[in-house]
Amino acid sequence: TKEYLKKKLDKIDGKGYKAYKDLEGEYEFEKFILYIDHVQGDPFAPPSRIRVKVPQNMADFEFSMYNNPSRQVALEDFLTRSVFEVIKSLPPLKGTGHSGDIYIDKGGQQIIKRSAMVVNKEYVEARLSIGLPAFGRRINGSGAQRIFLEFLPQIVEKSLLKKSLNVQEIWLWVETLEDQDYLRSQLKERGLVAFVADGAILPRESGISDRPLKDGNVVPFESPNSLRVKFQLPNRGEITGMGIPEGVTLIVGGGYHGKSTLLQAIQKGVYNHIPGDGREFVITVADAVKIRAEDGRRIEKVDISPFINNLPNNVDTTRFTTENASGSTSQAANIIEAIEIGTSLLLLDEDTSATNFMIRDARMQKLIAKKEEPITPFIDRVKQLYKDNGISTILVMGGSGDYFDVANCVIKMHNYRPYDVTQEAKKIAKEFKTNREVEGNNEPIVIKPRIPLKKGLEVKGKKIKSKDEDTIRFGYQEIELDYVEQLVDKSQTNAIGEIIRYIASKYVDEKSSIKEILEKVYKDIYEKGLDVVSSFYGKHPGNLALPRLQEVAAALNRLRSFTVK
Ligand code: ADP
Ligand code: MG
C-alpha cells in the first residue's frame, strides 16, 4: 500500500542512490495502483519507469468513448495530453541529473496509437517516466515522497478521471478522429487517393515545426469546382473539398505558390491529426509512400531493372546491391521497395527527385542514344504503374511540361489556391508535341518479394536503440532514416527498433518475405497491443508509437548488414 511505500521512502532517505532499487514493486493507493517497474541506477541515467493504473469504475469513461479502434486511440491520446498538461503545472523539484522530472510520451500534431496510455473496460493505465530525486548521489526522500504521494495522486485526480475532464473536448477528439478514419476508408470506393478539405490550413509554422502557420496571410484551402467532392461523415456531417482521383496527377505552378506545401500535407495525410491542426481533413490512402532521391543509401539485391539497365561494368540491376546509391538508383530502389511492401500511391516532388530519373527530353534523346543511357525515366513508367499495378502517382512538377502527356489530372497552384488546368494542359500537349521517344518496354513491373536472412539481423555489440527521430542504433551500426519522410514521431523510431528485434527473434525463418514477416508482427500488435513488441512486455514497455509497415520496411532496407536470399 501507499503507507508501505512511505515507510520505504523514510527508510532510504539520505542513503546512496542504489537504495532506490528497493522501491520496485506495486503499491495500492486509494484510486489507483502504482507499479514501479524499473528504477534507474543513478540520477543521470534514463529515468525510472512507472505505471499508474486506475480501475475503470473509478475513471468512469463510458464504453462509447472507446468502443472502436478509432475512438480508443483518440481517448488514449486525449488522456495522454491531459496528463502532460497536469505535469506541466506541477512545481519543479530541484536536484541532481533528472531529479524530479516527470514525463509522459505525448505525441506531436499526429494522433498515433502509442504505448503511453491504455484504456479498456477494466482500467486506464498511464505509463510515465520519473527522475527519482537526489542531491548528489544521495536519495532525496522527501522529494520522492512529494512525487509519489502528492504529485501522482494529483495527476490521476486531474487527468485520468472523467469527472475532472472536459467531456465535450473528449468527444471532439473522439469524433474528429473517427471521422478521419471513416473518410480514409471511403477514398477507394470513390476512386480517390487523397482528399483536401475546404478550409484546411496546410502551411506549417517553420521548416522545423509541424504546427500550423499562424499568420494573417495564411490562405485556407479552397477546392476548384471541377474537383470538388462531398463526403457525409458520421459525426461532423457533410464536408467538401478537393478529391484527387486515382491515376497520374500533376501539381504544377510557379515557384513559391504552394506546390510542395500541398504535397507535404498529402504525405502526412496517411496519419490523423489533432483538432486545431488545420490538416484534420487532409486525408490520404493509408499506404501512400513518399518517394525521393537518397544518394548514399545502401541497397540490398533490389530489382531496379524496370528503371535502370545496362549499367557500366555489366552490373546486375535485377539484384542491385550497393553501399552507396546514386540519386537515380536510390529513387528507383525506393519505388521498387514500396511496391514490394505494398502501396497504392506514390508521392514525388521535383525538389527532392533526381532530374535524370524524372525526365529525358527529345534533345537529350538525340544526343545520348537510349543504349548509352541506363535510366528509363519515370515519365515512361508512371502510366504503366497505374494500369498494371494499380498504383497512382501525385507528382509536383513545375519544371517540365513533358508530363502533360501522361497525366490525367493537372492541378495548378497559384497564390496558394488550386485550379484544375487538366483541359488546358491536354490542349497544349496536343499543340506542342514533345517529340520524345517513349522508352522502356510494356512489360508489367513484377516484383519478386525478397526473403531476409537471419545473419543480417544479428546485433553485434550494443543493443538496438533509437538515438533520435531519424537514427536507430543497431549494435555497432546506425540506421539512417533522415529521408524517410513519413516517419513523424521519435517513438515510432523507437518502435521500429523494437520491431526489428522482435522479428529477428521470432519470425525471420529464411522462408518468409519481408512483407509476410511484417504482417505477422502487425497481427500480433492488433491482437495483443503495441506493447507486444517491447522487450519489457508486461511492464512499462518504453515509449512506443505505431509506425506503418512501410516505415519498418524502410528501416530494414537501410540497415547496412541486412541481407536477403
Ligand atoms: P513551391 O513548392 O510551389 O515552390 P512551397 O509549397 O514551398 O512552394 O511554398 C512556399 C512558401 O509559401 C512556404 O514558405 C510556405 O510555408 C508558404 N505557403 C504555402 N501555402 C501557403 C498558404 N496556403 N498560405 C500561406 N502561405 C503558404
Ligand atoms: Mg517546391
Side-chain angles (χ1 to χ4, degrees), residues 348-512:
L348 291 85
D349 191 326
E350 60 184 346
D351 292 350
T352 50
S353 291
T355 308
N356 59 345
F357 182 78
M358 300 307 291
I359 48 177
R360 203 162 109 77
D361 66 11
R363 285 182 168 172
M364 198 52 81
Q365 286 180 328
K366 287 260 147 42
L367 186 65
I368 310 292
K370 176 60 201 152
K371 62 177 193 315
E372 295 173 39
E373 171 54 88
I375 303 172
T376 300
F378 190 66
I379 190 170
D380 292 319
R381 287 289 189 195
V382 65
K383 267 171 97 170
Q384 229 180 330
L385 276 172
Y386 180 59
K387 202 165 53 65
D388 299 335
N389 303 70
I391 299 172
S392 300
T393 295
I394 302 176
L395 169 61
V396 170
M397 183 53 87
S400 166
D402 284 6
Y403 270 90
F404 293 173
D405 290 325
V406 293
N408 53 296
C409 179
V410 185
I411 298 165
K412 167 175 148 185
M413 292 304 288
H414 182 70
N415 290 330
Y416 312 129
R417 286 198 173 78
Y419 298 85
D420 181 358
V421 295
T422 311
Q423 295 317 320
E424 232 179 305
K426 289 285 165 205
K427 206 169 138 240
I428 292 168
K430 252 193 205 138
E431 269 172 40
F432 301 88
K433 297 277 176 224
T434 66
N435 292 321
R436 63 185 296 280
E437 308 270 343
V438 174
E439 299 179 358
N441 53 36
N442 279 322
E443 279 167 43
I445 299 178
V446 183
I447 311 280
K448 218 171 114 228
R450 291 171 302 156
I451 296 171
L453 297 176
K454 285 185 180 152
K455 67 167 194 232
L457 292 170
E458 276 166 20
V459 189
K460 301 203 178 72
K462 285 176 257 165
K463 302 184 274 199
I464 306 179
K465 199 170 179 297
S466 72
K467 241 175 75 176
D468 52 49
E469 186 180 315
D470 297 321
T471 319
I472 297 173
R473 192 173 327 123
F474 187 93
Y476 294 126
Q477 318 173 55
E478 279 184 357
I479 310 177
E480 294 290 346
L481 301 168
D482 304 66
Y483 293 136
V484 181
E485 293 183 11
Q486 287 164 299
L487 189 61
V488 294
D489 193 305
K490 179 179 187 302
S491 300
Q492 285 183 311
T493 314
N494 263 335
I496 291 174
E498 292 286 343
I499 289 173
I500 294 180
R501 195 192 45 74
Y502 183 80
I503 59 167
S505 67
K506 212 168 165 179
Y507 291 134
V508 176
D509 55 8
E510 313 208 336
K511 289 194 285 280
S512 315

Side-chain angles (χ1 to χ4, degrees), residues 64-287:
S64 54
M65 284 178 171
Y66 58 92
N67 65 358
N68 66 39
S70 308
R71 292 180 175 206
Q72 188 182 10
V73 171
L75 180 59
E76 288 170 350
D77 181 87
F78 183 87
L79 295 177
T80 307
R81 291 173 201 264
S82 304
V83 170
F84 183 86
E85 288 306 317
V86 175
I87 292 172
K88 237 173 49 185
S89 72
L90 294 169
L93 269 185
K94 290 204 179 66
T96 317
H98 300 295
S99 278
D101 289 356
I102 306 178
Y103 176 81
I104 190 158
D105 181 40
K106 165 188 87 88
Q109 296 299 104
Q110 288 76 28
I111 298 185
I112 308 174
K113 178 90 185 163
R114 49 204 319 128
S115 62
M117 187 73 63
V118 177
V119 177
N120 59 36
K121 276 189 162 167
E122 277 87 59
Y123 56 80
V124 172
E125 184 176 288
R127 283 82 180 266
L128 304 171
S129 303
I130 291 191
L132 293 172
F135 296 123
R137 310 242 163 226
R138 304 263 144 225
I139 288 176
N140 169 6
S142 65
Q145 298 213 10
R146 280 197 83 187
I147 291 179
F148 288 122
L149 306 175
E150 207 180 301
F151 294 169
L152 286 187
Q154 263 189 55
I155 290 171
V156 169
E157 191 65 42
K158 290 186 186 163
S159 59
L160 295 176
L161 311 182
K162 191 187 84 181
K163 68 169 173 53
S164 345
L165 295 165
N166 181 340
V167 171
Q168 236 176 324
E169 225 187 323
I170 299 180
W171 279 113
L172 173 70
W173 233 254
V174 167
E175 293 185 342
T176 306
L177 205 76
E178 188 173 53
D179 281 347
Q180 297 181 47
D181 279 336
Y182 174 82
L183 211 166
R184 192 173 292 105
S185 76
Q186 296 299 300
L187 289 173
K188 282 228 159 84
E189 241 167 77
R190 299 275 293 269
L192 303 175
V193 290
F195 173 84
V196 185
D198 289 324
I201 303 297
L202 309 187
R204 300 292 100 188
E205 210 167 54
S206 74
I208 51 162
S209 163
D210 199 31
R211 291 174 204 255
L213 178 63
K214 285 195 188 74
D215 173 312
N217 302 320
V218 174
V219 179
F221 193 82
E222 201 187 312
S223 56
N225 286 331
S226 55
L227 293 173
R228 187 169 304 138
V229 295
K230 249 189 228 166
F231 280 93
Q232 206 58 42
L233 302 178
N235 304 303
R236 182 192 235 259
E238 186 177 294
I239 190 169
T240 62
M242 179 171 84
I244 299 185
E246 286 182 3
V248 179
T249 297
L250 291 190
I251 300 174
V252 301
Y256 222 70
H257 279 266
K259 302 184 297 296
S260 296
T261 302
L262 173 59
L263 192 80
Q264 279 156 14
I266 291 169
Q267 79 193 44
K268 296 257 171 95
V270 299
Y271 297 111
N272 294 322
H273 288 90
I274 56 172
D277 175 81
R279 297 169 298 183
E280 294 94 308
F281 293 101
V282 180
I283 304 286
T284 307
V285 287
D287 59 2

